[in-house]
Amino acid sequence: MRRRIAATVASLVLAGPLAAGCAADAGTPDGQLATEVLVDPADGDSGIEYGPAMMWKSEYGMHRRDQAPSLFRISAGQAEERARNWLRDRDSGLTAGEAEAFPGYFTLHMLRSGKIEGMLSVNAATGAVWVHTWHGTYIATSEH
């Protein structure tokens, strides 16, 4: 039985390639994060975000894999460590924020001097890192 995805629980307003579009986190009725969504600023149309939300998500989509959470070898703390190391190894000058758990992966903010500069995700099974290059410049966060 598939769980219904509830209303948006948080959103990030972005500019750049999205032309002031929005990326949002959608949650389940029990408060768990379910997926990341992109919203078109011109018409409000929405769809599953590119990258990890499409390719690594273990529930709710075209690449759904009914995998038990026990198959995910990477914890939130390990995802944060992998993200920190990945950013350090590339001399980015960025740090990693707190890992938010989605089915099959974690998403973290990339920070410069404590301010959000972008996002990346860490695969919960393999530890692979994927930078969200499609967002553009971060503007603000709005909780609903």
Side-chain angles (χ1 to χ4, degrees), residues 1-142:
M1 180 163 143
R2 293 174 73 175
R3 289 187 286 170
R4 184 174 56 87
I5 298 176
T8 299
V9 294
S11 63
L12 300 175
V13 179
L14 305 165
L18 294 179
C22 180
D25 296 342
T28 63
D30 64 358
Q32 300 296 310
L33 290 173
T35 194
E36 296 168 292
V37 179
L38 296 176
V39 181
D40 185 319
D43 61 12
D45 191 23
S46 63
I48 301 298
E49 185 172 345
Y50 318 122
M54 284 187 176
M55 303 305 292
W56 292 346
K57 187 174 51 189
S58 59
E59 294 181 42
Y60 310 113
M62 63 182 167
H63 293 281
R64 179 179 176 196
R65 296 177 222 70
D66 291 318
Q67 299 174 351
S70 61
L71 296 176
F72 302 135
R73 298 184 300 264
I74 307 295
S75 68
Q78 290 168 321
E80 291 169 7
E81 181 180 355
R82 293 223 181 196
R84 278 192 303 271
N85 291 341
W86 192 91
L87 292 166
R88 183 200 64 225
D89 291 349
R90 282 148 186 82
D91 294 321
S92 67
L94 300 171
T95 59
E98 184 178 330
E100 293 184 311
F102 290 88
Y105 67 98
F106 299 92
T107 292
L108 304 87
H109 289 125
M110 296 184 299
L111 309 170
R112 185 177 308 281
S113 302
K115 295 183 180 179
I116 298 171
E117 185 148 314
M119 296 171 71
L120 62 74
S121 293
V122 176
N123 186 297
T126 66
V129 174
W130 195 332
V131 176
H132 298 212
T133 56
W134 49 90
H135 283 313
T137 304
Y138 169 81
I139 297 172
T141 298
S142 174

